[in-house]
Amino acid sequence: TQLLEQSPQFLSIQEGENLTVYCNSSSVFSSLQWYRQEPGEGPVLLVTVVTGGEVKKLKRLTFQFGDARKDSSLHITAAQTGDTGLYLCAGKAAGNKLTFGGGTRVLVKP
Amino acid sequence: NAGVMQNPRHLVRRRGQEARLRCSPMKGHSHVYWYRQLPEEGLKFMVYLQKENIIDESGMPKERFSAEFPKEGPSILRIQQVVRGDSAAYFCASSPGPYTDTQYFGPGTRLTVL
């Protein structure tokens, strides 16, 4: 069974600070997706990383896929209150199904 | 281009009743996935379907749950004789084909079993 561990489970920071969310596994994934989920809504895709060592930037968000394709991180620079939400990582292996991490709840306080 | 659509958004059933959840994939997408999110837990894969075919149902409970994706119309997730433990958010995702990495999610159906 493939597992994805996300850490931390909860993160509370002040507006303007930086934060990093980690997603780790002992399994190799062909790709990894990061989603953000608002209460009462479905996950919204932020990014897909495919190549080991890949780094993608989306405005203040930086996503990295580990060289061995077993782990990933999401870094937010100068967080804003609008960044508050549940961040989910999901790995895709053979068979197309996604394995999700448990999520990281981020609270950015004004 | 409309996204993945799910209905109903909220569904209340009494124990023993049947629940039917519908999912219309994004235009041009022929692959549908169902996931379940129990309260305070992550999303768990249930089933992967292509038009008229079940590709992978390894995450489906062995009893009471079934899924279909007919040639015409939406995909249906059916839960017979619901129990309180079935209360959860059920999400559908779609992709254009089997070799694409990204799945796009619908808003979910929140099932409450009284």
Side-chain angles (χ1 to χ4, degrees), chain A residues 30-31 33 35 37-45 48 50 86 88 92 95-103 105, chain B residues 9 31 33 35 37 40-43 45 48 56 58 91 95 97-108 110:
Chain A
S30 61
S31 67
Q33 285 82 49
Y35 294 87
Q37 186 178 20
E38 301 294 339
E41 298 295 329
V44 175
L45 179 72
T48 298
V50 178
L86 177 66
L88 298 164
K92 177 175 172 282
N96 264 17
K97 60 186 177 187
L98 293 178
T99 298
F100 277 85
R105 292 197 178 278
Chain B
R9 292 291 307 274
H31 293 250
Y33 314 80
Y35 294 82
Q37 187 174 35
E40 303 304 319
E41 291 190 16
L43 281 80
F45 169 80
Y48 165 30
D56 181 353
S58 59
F91 292 99
S95 69
Y99 302 113
T100 52
D101 292 296
T102 301
Q103 297 176 16
Y104 297 89
F105 282 79
R110 272 127 193 102

Side-chain angles (χ1 to χ4, degrees), chain A residues 59-72:
Chain A
K59 296 183 181 178
R60 294 175 294 99
L61 278 62
T62 301
F63 304 87
Q64 187 162 9
F65 201 13
D67 291 339
R69 290 185 287 133
K70 293 182 179 180
D71 53 85
S72 182

Side-chain angles (χ1 to χ4, degrees), chain A residues 78-89:
Chain A
Q80 301 175 356
T81 55
D83 295 326
T84 293
L86 177 66
Y87 290 84
L88 298 164
C89 65

